[in-house]
Amino acid sequence: MPKGIIGKKIGMTRVFIGDKAIPVTVIQVEPNYVVNIRTPEKDGYSAVVLGAGSRKEKRTPKPLKAIFEKAGVKPLKTLAEFPLKEGEQPELGQEIKVEDVFEKGDLVDITGKSKGRGFASAMKRWDFSGFKKSHGSRYHRAIGSIGACSDPGRVWKTKRMPGHYGNETVTVQGLEVVDIIPEKNVILVKGSVPGHTNTVLKIKESVIINRRKGKRKLEKAKAAYAS
């Protein structure tokens, strides 16, 4: 099976493991379908393109429509590419379910679009502390000095300033899979993930499992959710 799957954020709740309450994000993972396969001979690497969600046929571009017809699936709304494990050979049109890819205690990286917050001040956008809150200050939430005088005589690039905040691709690494509910096509992940309700998410095997700290965290999670 591929090392990832496409899902949709439903919201947050909590579950109890023993006497401990764990905050979880509920992600609905409708069946994904194999739309295309990347091969070393043709593309130089091994990967699979998965599709999920429904799309109106009249709004499907002709090149995509041809790909869907070749795979023998209906037009799908969201496409994402995931690497394949060594020796894996999925078939075009094959249905991939969440329980086929992940199990309790796995560590995953989740990618999605963060909430858009429009034009924001430097304090909100960059978490600046601001100036004194006392009555006589008269200078509370401003950004303050942004550069020197004659040298360099300009504002440096990458200076943290007010501007557009949010609505960017964000990845959260090393989240624990608390539970999987196959009959509801739902996966519960410990902690929060990017985006608002109904945000499309890309869930993949975490890269931190190859690190010493990640291996210890994986072992601990497997033991905690083994029941």
Side-chain angles (χ1 to χ4, degrees):
M1 290 297 124
K3 295 182 179 180
I5 202 165
I6 302 169
K8 182 174 69 173
K9 181 177 178 179
I10 300 300
M12 292 195 70
T13 184
R14 64 176 177 171
V15 296
F16 287 89
I17 304 295
D19 58 349
K20 186 177 181 181
I22 299 177
V24 296
T25 300
V26 182
I27 303 173
Q28 186 174 29
V29 182
E30 297 179 351
N32 287 212
Y33 297 92
V34 177
V35 174
N36 205 345
I37 299 173
R38 313 293 190 201
T39 60
E41 296 78 18
K42 183 179 179 182
D43 305 286
Y45 63 98
S46 295
V48 62
V49 179
L50 298 182
S54 59
R55 180 203 294 259
K56 291 184 179 180
E57 190 169 349
K58 66 179 182 180
R59 295 186 178 179
T60 304
K62 287 185 178 180
L64 277 181
K65 193 180 295 186
I67 293 174
F68 293 139
E69 288 176 356
K70 183 179 179 181
V73 298
K74 60 183 180 180
L76 301 171
K77 186 176 182 179
T78 306
L79 301 179
E81 185 175 295
F82 299 95
L84 281 175
K85 297 179 181 178
E86 189 175 351
E88 290 284 353
Q89 292 293 335
E91 298 179 358
L92 282 177
Q94 180 180 347
E95 183 178 323
I96 307 293
K97 296 184 178 180
V98 62
E99 61 267 25
D100 301 329
V101 182
F102 298 114
E103 58 183 20
K104 290 183 182 180
D106 283 346
L107 298 184
V108 295
D109 296 342
I110 298 183
T111 302
K113 280 276 189 180
S114 63
K115 291 182 180 179
R117 296 171 176 85
F119 189 93
S121 69
M123 288 187 67
K124 181 176 180 180
R125 188 183 184 196
W126 301 109
D127 199 26
F128 287 174
S129 60
F131 293 88
K132 293 181 179 180
K133 309 299 188 294
S134 56
H135 178 69
S137 172
R138 301 177 63 186
Y139 198 78
H140 306 293
R141 296 182 60 86
I143 191 173
S145 175
I146 61 173
C149 263
S150 59
D151 185 17
R154 61 186 176 85
V155 178
W156 290 103
K157 286 184 179 181
T158 71
K159 174 67 180 175
R160 291 181 293 178
M161 303 276 282
H164 187 269
Y165 178 36
N167 193 31
E168 57 186 3
T169 303
V170 179
T171 299
V172 181
Q173 295 183 333
L175 299 178
E176 301 172 9
V177 176
V178 176
D179 198 5
I180 295 174
I181 309 174
E183 58 271 18
K184 294 185 178 180
N185 295 324
V186 162
I187 180 173
L188 304 181
V189 178
K190 183 178 180 180
S192 60
V193 302
H196 52 73
T197 303
N198 293 327
T199 294
V200 175
L201 302 172
K202 185 178 177 181
I203 313 165
K204 58 184 179 181
E205 185 181 60
S206 181
V207 296
I208 73 168
I209 62 173
N210 299 318
R211 308 170 193 164
R212 184 183 304 174
K213 186 176 180 180
K215 290 178 181 178
R216 291 199 300 265
K217 184 175 181 179
L218 179 61
E219 292 173 0
K220 187 176 179 181
K222 288 286 187 183
Y225 309 122
S227 59

